[in-house]
Amino acid sequence: MITRYFPADALTKVVASLADERRVLIPVTQPAVKKSVIFAPFSAGMTVELHKASVAPKEAVLPQCETLLTYSKQKDAEDPSKVNLVLDDKPQAQPTIVFGCRPCDARGFAVLDRPYLDGPFIDPYYQARRKQLIVITQTCPSVGTTCFCHWVGSGPNSTTGSDIMLTAIDGGYVLEAVTEKGEALLAGMKLEDGAPFMDKAKTARGTVEAQLAPAPDLTQAQEKIAARFNDNTFWEEQTAQCLSCGACTYMCPTCYCFNITDEGDGVCKAGRRLRTWDTCMSPLFTREASGHNARMSKAQRMKNRISHKFSTYPENWGGEFSCNGCGRCINNCPVNLDIRAIVLAAINEKGA
Amino acid sequence: MAESIKTTKATGTAKKAAAKAAPKKSVAKSAAKKTSAQAATKTAEKPKTAAAAASTASPVIKEKAQAPAVHKAAQSPAVKEQAVAPAVATAAKAPAAQPAMEAAAAQPIPAKAAAQPAHNSPVAEATATPKAAAPKGRTSLKEISARPMKAGNPYTPMAATVKEVIQETGTIKTIRVVLDDPEQMAAFHYEPGQVGQLSVFGAGESTFVINTPPSCKEYLQFSVMLTGEVTNAIHKLSAGDKVGVRAPLGNFFPYEQWKGKNVVFVGGGIGMAPIRTIMLHMLEHKQDYGTISLLYGARSPRDMAFSYELESWMQNPDLDCTLCIDAPFEGWPHKVGLIPNVLTEMNPSPNNCVAVLCGPPIMIKFTVQALEKLGFTPENIVTTLEKRMKCGIGICGRCNIGGKYVCVDGPVFTWAELKELPPDM
Amino acid sequence: MSVLAGKELRIVGFLCNWCSYGGADTAGVARATQPTDLRIVRVPCSGRIDPLFILRALLHGADGVLVSGCHPGDCHYAEGNYYARRRLEILKQFLPVLGIDPRRFEYTWISASEGQRWQLAVTKFTQQIHELGAAPAFENAEKLIQIADMALTALRPLGTGQHAALADLKKAIVEKLPELDCVIGWQQSYDAAHSAPLFMRKPEDVEKLVWGPLNVNNLATYLPQYKGKKVGIVVKGCDSRSVTQLLQEGLINRDDVVVFSMPCEGTLDMARINQALGAYQHIDKVAYDEAGVSITADGKEHRFCMVEYAQGKCYSCATPGAVLADVRLGTPTPVTGTPATPPELALLDSMSLSERFAFWHTQMERCIRCYACRNACPMCVCRDYCVAESRDPHWLTQEDTATEKFFFQTIHALHLAGRCTGCGECQRACPVGIPILALRQQIARAVAQTFEGYRPGMNAKATPPLMGFTVEENNIKEKDWNK
């Protein structure tokens, strides 16, 4: 596989050169008393800094809000008594690079691909964006207090979902293609060959790898959490803190639930059908028009979220967890609810 | 149905490719022609059929490549012909995989990538992460039963026009719609029990069972109870109004497996709608079945939908029809009592018999208890579920019960299947 | 094409059916000349006018909004306009913090016979709007980044509460526990530098209880969901104001809540702490002293002095002790002086109207609509039925425009008028750090100025100002159209 190297001070220049032809999403620090880092398109004048983002870059394939279709009712040109319904369902997509996400973020794309591309139906909107997406992932330079990627099958150097891996070494960065898409991109970049720097990159990766605390064994999680399903007391106790907001799910690189709503013009002539992020933690998520709600209590909703990530998603999609261990749901939670603690509690006591 | 299956055989390749690649009708047509020109000579002789098939919800049969799924499919009526001619399945499968592979080319196919970490790259060597969960062998498609499926962009409704609105009861209206494209309408094929998403643009869409039997080619019928925003908008429709239809979605009643058996239908209130479609379908093929009986209950005579049909059902020699209401009502000549009680009184024999029920959750609960007391096994009790749905295609995350999604794994389940699922309804 | 096209501005009028609509009619019948920019929406009573009608109009392209009802004392429904008067006045004082010129909104009283007065009002108001010109569109606001200065002086010495009677508190909780469903307190969270709410059900749970400046959560948020059950709650001074406010509104029953309190010496601003700690893998040590906390992470020691790193609200806190409590341990430090303007609000005060518009637009763009602000708020009690997600009424679309997101924040702030105790949980909960507290602070300031220094959550028996009225309002002046 092709490798490339560039010196540390060329980072912004390299991103700028990529941005000539495509939208390049980079982590951008939002200045505030409480800073946050959000993926935003690179534009001239920006300086690239590769911080771990507060919000996962899933926006690149699944925007917070998108138009699924627009509709309009138009009078027939020939026969004015007739009205024709005109629908436009063309996906909005553009060639995009996600630059400098972390392996946990990149693995999110792989998790999303299964239901959106490998299921009984292919989601054309997702597919249009995914096809044009190149993911350049920074191998993690450090391990955080809420990180647990190595519990769930990922790791600070995992390549799942990435096209190119970027590793910071002393004085520069090494790029290494891991897919053909990545290889094609790297081949076109006029940068120094990375081969002489690969040893250094491997050392850097190994250093981080060595910092990881031993991971608990989650091999039985799928069955054990399924076996926990009816233990209401357990879920109620684990969920007491939860405020039922959507911070955990919206920050998550693997959460993909959505809502579909129509926004008309008020006179039923034209309008849009929107798809927006939705959260299974909201009581409204499953409330039916009749008032019936399958997941009325927050314990039921948390049970669904944890089960989906560790039990039912693996059940449907080949045993993989739909959790990447990025820890965002823990450190962005207004009450510091810890998903690791819930999963461990679910599989350690009683259980299957 | 046989006719449309033939269509599948002839144009399977073209249609599948077009369906995946092109949501827009015009594009679909050209794509269908192009592919057919390349792939099959027969198709070129029938350009009209191919085009129609490519742009409509004609029977796209999703076929599982794996052995157990084929076995499943063989039991199911829609693919009976396919089982005879397995080449069809393969033909349809190959081009379908094409776009998926294109998408996958640049990214590791998830489960595989996990099994053999990313192409032996040095990065992978450094990644000495313990594997949390062993892959379970299956790498891609979620398994679903064979069925007719909506082609093209699964989110895009077909434009349709309201043909007729029937006020069934104070809160239930039946809407008959016709697809605007006559070719689409002619090619539209579904199985009894499959659902559709009915759109009123500006308000949104909701899921309803298509309650006409598949033999009805003039219109699609939905019966809608007034409950929320969308149903409110539906109730305001009148003939000539434009709506959207995304159909067919979901699985259907396994009537092929019921051949030679007796069937007891139990419908409560609006739950009569899905019962109607399968019952009428089976009455059309009465020679294949044993006795067919119906118990239809509602709160009062005023709450009975399809009242204009009840007389003919009562008169039908092929149908043993019982009607009941919850409380006595002046002039009511039929039974009075709650459905489970009336059913117990009817005392149907569980021998070689399937019970099919639909109605409000509370009715289901007690009717199942009554049926089990009568000796029906969970495998022979079949129901169809209703859940809040948005996407209808197994993604949006609303309608799941445990790992099963009502919109793709259902809505039809046997009681035995439901007992396996968490009680999260 | 109308000859007036391009000359007219978009002015919306909300007129009460009984007086002002009649007044406008009278003016019309008398053929009184009037400008034609105004589009009238007739409402049954000025009391029917939700301030959100006006805000939505202003955020979605109206250049001006005029509200007119019956003269106070003449309401067809006896009291509707008395309530309206208070609401509309608070709204008018709220608009500037958003960056909307308050002159774009006026309310007035015109009776059905006052055709001439109507003519005067509509002429003068239209003139006023034309002088201001077309309203700037929020979506077109430029980018502006400014950060509040958190260097503040506290009204009392801040500390870390290390001499608090935690052991006594635990004993008191264990004693009361048998009669309670649970007692809500704080525990250590995923590491020693973070805390999380604790639900004590068994005596051994009480062991996990911690007390100190990391206890940032306002636990009163949980109380309404336990209505009907008997629960205990451990409070800081500020939290007790939320409990009081919930009692005041009948959202919890006094008999069902046992309040445990210890004097609070201040809490830490976790946003700044986390930033200073940066990415770390492990907390080695957390050491408290009188003046602050030393946190050692991955071998590196970080020092956080309370005077520097307390939450903004703690500097101006005048209630270190609980407003109400059943079990009270310890004596709070006395408070002297008057609180300064909170830092977030001071920042906005220093800006021009257009800068505020730009500031909010820049901030709101990154909102992800997770509603953590709403769900963390102890006074946001309609949660499951919030207008944010309602389709009927359809206040908000699900679009991710800054306008929609900002409109939600204004709804939240307005619904908290006279109820918000300034606990700051909304802002603390925001995962992307939007300083939304400033909006609530502006409303609180307007309420205090208009209603004789009223502070929510101080007295469980008081009537919230926007749920009542007086026939003569001391601090609300009627618009004089002759000026």
Side-chain angles (χ1 to χ4, degrees), chain A residues 43 104 112 127 130 145 224 234 247-248 254 292 307:
Chain A
S43 60
C104 49
L112 264 51
Q127 189 184 36
R130 188 69 176 96
T145 178
K224 284 192 173 174
F234 172 81
C248 48
T254 68
H292 174 74
S307 302

Side-chain angles (χ1 to χ4, degrees), chain C residues 82-393:
Chain C
Y82 287 132
Y83 289 100
R85 183 166 59 182
R86 288 193 161 194
R87 270 180 230 146
L88 297 170
E89 177 60 27
I90 294 298
L91 174 70
K92 195 162 164 59
Q93 295 184 40
F94 178 51
L95 293 178
V97 79
L98 309 177
I100 297 174
D101 195 317
R103 289 170 297 176
R104 292 194 182 275
F105 163 60
E106 296 291 355
Y107 61 95
T108 190
W109 318 120
I110 294 168
S111 78
S113 61
E114 293 176 316
Q116 280 188 321
R117 184 172 155 82
W118 169 258
Q119 183 194 19
L120 176 68
V122 74
T123 310
K124 282 286 178 93
F125 184 67
T126 308
Q127 203 180 330
Q128 185 172 317
I129 299 301
H130 274 269
E131 275 160 22
L132 291 168
F138 188 64
E139 281 303 320
N140 300 338
E142 279 168 25
K143 201 175 172 75
L144 177 72
I145 294 164
Q146 286 202 34
I147 302 168
D149 181 4
M150 301 305 284
L152 303 160
T153 316
L155 296 182
R156 61 186 165 111
L158 297 175
T160 56
Q162 290 317 291
H163 302 297
L166 181 58
D168 293 346
L169 175 65
K170 286 183 179 173
K171 221 172 93 191
I173 293 174
V174 171
E175 270 170 31
K176 287 270 185 192
L177 206 50
E179 56 190 271
L180 300 172
D181 197 71
C182 70
V183 176
I184 314 170
W186 300 269
Q187 63 184 327
Q188 182 188 312
S189 179
Y190 54 83
D191 64 30
H194 296 87
S195 81
L198 167 69
F199 294 77
M200 295 168 268
R201 294 185 183 85
K202 302 181 287 277
E204 54 265 39
D205 297 337
V206 182
E207 278 314 302
K208 295 182 200 156
L209 182 68
V210 294
W211 181 261
L214 293 173
N215 290 1
V216 289
N217 296 81
N218 180 352
L219 306 174
T221 304
Y222 295 106
L223 287 181
Q225 59 182 276
Y226 285 96
K227 194 176 179 182
K229 286 180 183 161
K230 226 176 148 163
V231 292
I233 181 170
V234 188
V235 296
K236 309 187 288 287
C238 50
D239 307 340
S240 75
R241 288 181 61 191
S242 302
V243 177
T244 308
Q245 187 63 29
L246 289 168
L247 287 169
Q248 193 179 354
E249 297 179 21
L251 294 162
I252 51 173
N253 297 324
R254 185 67 189 91
D255 297 342
D256 292 343
V257 185
V258 179
V259 180
F260 299 88
S261 101
M262 290 209 291
C264 173
E265 295 181 6
T267 52
L268 286 163
D269 183 347
M270 293 314 294
R272 286 185 291 151
I273 304 272
N274 286 336
Q275 215 133 297
L277 289 174
Y280 65 88
Q281 192 177 5
H282 189 255
I283 295 288
D284 307 314
K285 196 173 145 206
V286 177
Y288 295 92
D289 55 54
E290 308 257 311
V293 193
S294 296
I295 301 176
T296 314
D298 292 350
K300 194 178 166 208
E301 190 181 314
H302 303 260
R303 172 73 188 158
F304 301 107
C305 279
M306 291 304 291
V307 283
E308 263 181 78
Y309 280 94
Q311 288 203 75
K313 65 173 177 179
C314 298
Y315 295 97
S316 54
C317 171
T319 52
V323 175
L324 88 169
D326 299 291
V327 179
R328 207 184 274 272
L329 298 155
T331 327
T333 20
V335 178
T336 48
T338 36
T341 308
E344 297 87 352
L345 191 53
L347 172 68
L348 280 143
D349 283 348
S350 72
M351 296 181 200
S352 70
L353 287 171
S354 62
E355 282 172 341
R356 290 176 198 163
F357 230 38
F359 171 81
W360 284 121
H361 186 264
T362 310
Q363 296 291 332
M364 294 319 299
E365 271 195 311
R366 67 173 179 273
C367 166
I368 52 168
R369 297 185 81 162
C370 68
Y371 297 119
C373 48
R374 173 189 72 188
N375 289 31
C377 173
M379 298 317 302
C380 245
V381 287
C382 4
R383 251 162 248 175
D384 300 8
Y385 299 90
C386 179
V387 294
E389 287 126 342
S390 154
R391 295 276 300 180
D392 182 23

Side-chain angles (χ1 to χ4, degrees), chain B residues 168-327:
Chain B
E168 298 278 0
T169 73
T171 53
I172 300 171
K173 277 188 179 184
T174 289
I175 315 289
R176 291 178 173 168
V177 305
V178 182
L179 302 180
D180 283 358
D181 182 342
E183 282 180 6
Q184 268 185 347
M185 189 66 211
F188 187 81
H189 172 72
Y190 61 99
E191 292 286 346
Q194 286 199 287
V195 299
Q197 288 261 19
L198 188 59
S199 281
V200 179
F201 295 99
E205 40 179 14
S206 271
T207 318
F208 307 98
V209 70
I210 308 168
N211 72 48
T212 24
S215 58
C216 171
K217 288 286 179 192
E218 296 85 59
Y219 54 82
L220 305 175
Q221 175 169 311
F222 301 94
S223 295
V224 179
M225 191 162 177
L226 183 64
T227 42
E229 187 192 4
V230 178
T231 50
N232 195 8
I234 293 173
H235 270 237
K236 287 185 181 147
L237 292 172
S238 50
D241 285 344
K242 291 288 172 195
V243 292
V245 177
R246 279 205 285 145
L249 299 166
N251 69 354
F252 55 94
F253 290 106
Y255 56 86
E256 205 72 10
Q257 292 170 22
W258 301 343
K259 282 194 173 165
K261 291 187 181 177
N262 303 327
V263 182
V264 180
F265 291 110
V266 187
I270 187 71
M272 191 55 216
I275 299 287
R276 180 180 185 269
T277 171
I278 177 67
M279 184 182 81
L280 295 184
H281 179 77
M282 288 174 71
L283 287 173
E284 284 168 12
H285 302 87
K286 177 67 180 62
Q287 70 281 5
D288 293 338
Y289 303 96
T291 59
I292 298 177
S293 35
L294 167 71
L295 169 60
Y296 175 25
R299 224 172 301 162
S300 75
R302 279 196 285 262
D303 295 307
M304 281 210 148
F306 314 112
S307 51
Y308 44 91
E309 290 178 313
L310 296 180
E311 192 51 40
S312 67
W313 293 354
M314 296 296 290
Q315 305 299 331
N316 192 332
D318 290 341
L319 181 68
D320 173 16
C321 179
T322 311
L323 304 176
C324 72
I325 53 169
D326 291 0

Side-chain angles (χ1 to χ4, degrees), chain B residues 4 7-8 11 15 49-61 147-151 158 183-184 186-190 247-248:
Chain B
S4 48
T7 316
T8 314
T11 64
K15 187 178 58 200
T49 338
S55 59
T56 64
S58 62
V60 179
I61 305 292
R147 70 198 54 184
M149 278 164 81
K150 184 189 182 301
M158 294 174 281
E183 282 180 6
Q184 268 185 347
F188 187 81
H189 172 72
Y190 61 99

